[in-house]
Amino acid sequence: MDSATLATLDSEFASGQHGYIDGMLVIRHGRVVLDRTYTNDYVKLFEGKAPVRGAYNYYDPDWHPWFRKSDLHTLQSVTKSVTSAAIGVAIARGEIPGVDVPILKYFDAGAVANLDDRKRSIRLRDLLTMTAGFHWDEDSVPYTDPRNTCAAMEASHDWVKYVIDQRMDQAPGKTFLYSSGVSQLLSHIIFKATGRQVDAYTEEHIFHPIGIQTYYWKHTPTGLPDTEGGLYLSRKDLARFGYLYLHDGVWNGKRILPSAWIAESLKPWVTPGDMEASGVRYGYQWWLMPYGSAGARAATCWGYGGQFLFVVPEHDLVAVFNGWNIYDKPELEPKMALDRVLASIRPSGR
């Protein structure tokens, strides 16, 4: 890789050209190529913001972006991709019959509001691909605005009930609508299917086998782990998770995730919203980001504020970016970040 090309991007991050970037890590052929952190004064940025502090005040510097001044960084919706992996483990272990299981199998249908034939037909696959059909809006106003549906869910006591009781706007399996709510339903389904909370389940079956020893996972008021955005990891441990997907679910010769699940998760199942022309697609809680000119796509985890994990098997590369652009700067543009890293790869033989 060309160190000068990466050094230019590093310099841009250090100077604040791309807003509040907290870290960048690039790994190729199993070796760390670049590992940088950048300092931002989030305590000062918090001044004048909402005084009620806590885990879901995104301005609170005790919680965001670093967990209590540790090296654990909020991952926000990258959490969704980790949860998808846990679903894959549960299916492989026979605890969940498959992605075509109706989700109401895991609910008391008699207690579900706005129940109709469309809601009865929602499958696990529809949650994974964001095509469940629920009424939802977390795009038209910021997450820090209480009118945001996701913010309203986070302000409620029972997040799962809040989501499952939403009215249906579309037939399931038809239309992509980004919804952190459907990702939260996965926490409930894993608990009902396995008898384990998803954080403990993931720790046993994924984190510990690949060497992740330290993490923090926020919980909802009812005690379920927040699978829509509650996970904190160091950037090196997030890279470990990416490395697992880079190597088809195998870690140090031991299979952790089924190969078939990796392949299914990274298929372009659906086109998000108006992204047809851009080439961006969506799998099972994974974004698929185009690069180059031959229709290739990088497996991508994408979280609020500028959390990105890129997995590019063609180049044997994993890259992690952390940031917290929720203040006065736009979020890091993922296509730009991916292209800048890939631009540093030297042609073979040079």
Side-chain angles (χ1 to χ4, degrees), residues 179-201:
S179 168
S180 292
V182 301
S183 300
Q184 186 56 36
L185 295 184
L186 298 176
S187 184
H188 171 85
I189 289 170
I190 287 175
F191 178 68
K192 289 294 185 179
T194 71
R196 306 277 305 284
Q197 296 285 22
V198 67
D199 52 356
Y201 190 82

Side-chain angles (χ1 to χ4, degrees), residues 104-134:
L104 286 186
K105 168 183 172 69
Y106 302 102
F107 292 86
D108 176 4
V112 174
N114 295 307
L115 187 62
D116 62 12
D117 288 343
R118 293 177 297 181
K119 189 173 288 190
R120 291 187 184 93
S121 66
I122 299 173
R123 301 167 300 164
L124 178 57
R125 183 194 304 275
D126 303 322
L127 302 186
L128 292 166
T129 57
M130 300 278 187
T131 59
F134 289 112

Side-chain angles (χ1 to χ4, degrees), residues 147-208:
R147 293 174 298 170
N148 185 297
T149 316
C150 182
M153 176 189 72
E154 291 177 351
S156 71
H157 174 72
D158 189 333
W159 294 16
V160 168
K161 181 173 176 55
Y162 180 88
V163 178
I164 198 67
D165 283 350
Q166 293 291 313
R167 72 174 189 267
M168 297 293 291
D169 280 349
Q170 301 280 344
K174 302 295 185 183
T175 305
F176 178 94
L177 178 65
Y178 190 79
S179 168
S180 292
V182 301
S183 300
Q184 186 56 36
L185 295 184
L186 298 176
S187 184
H188 171 85
I189 289 170
I190 287 175
F191 178 68
K192 289 294 185 179
T194 71
R196 306 277 305 284
Q197 296 285 22
V198 67
D199 52 356
Y201 190 82
T202 303
E203 178 181 305
E204 178 182 353
H205 296 294
I206 301 174
F207 286 175
H208 277 181

Side-chain angles (χ1 to χ4, degrees), residues 43 65 94 124 196 212 244 249 320:
V43 173
L124 178 57
R196 306 277 305 284
I212 296 176
L244 180 63
V320 172

Side-chain angles (χ1 to χ4, degrees), residues 40-47 49-74 76 216-218 230 232 324 326-327:
N40 296 291
D41 191 348
Y42 292 111
V43 173
K44 185 174 182 180
L45 286 165
F46 176 66
E47 292 177 0
K49 298 298 182 184
V52 179
R53 306 183 70 159
Y56 290 95
N57 177 347
Y58 290 122
Y59 298 118
D60 186 339
D62 285 338
W63 287 94
H64 303 97
W66 305 101
F67 175 63
R68 302 191 184 281
K69 300 179 175 61
S70 70
D71 67 346
L72 302 179
H73 198 283
T74 181
Q76 295 300 302
Y216 182 80
W217 205 319
K218 292 191 286 192
Y232 292 71
W324 201 231
I326 71 166
Y327 293 90

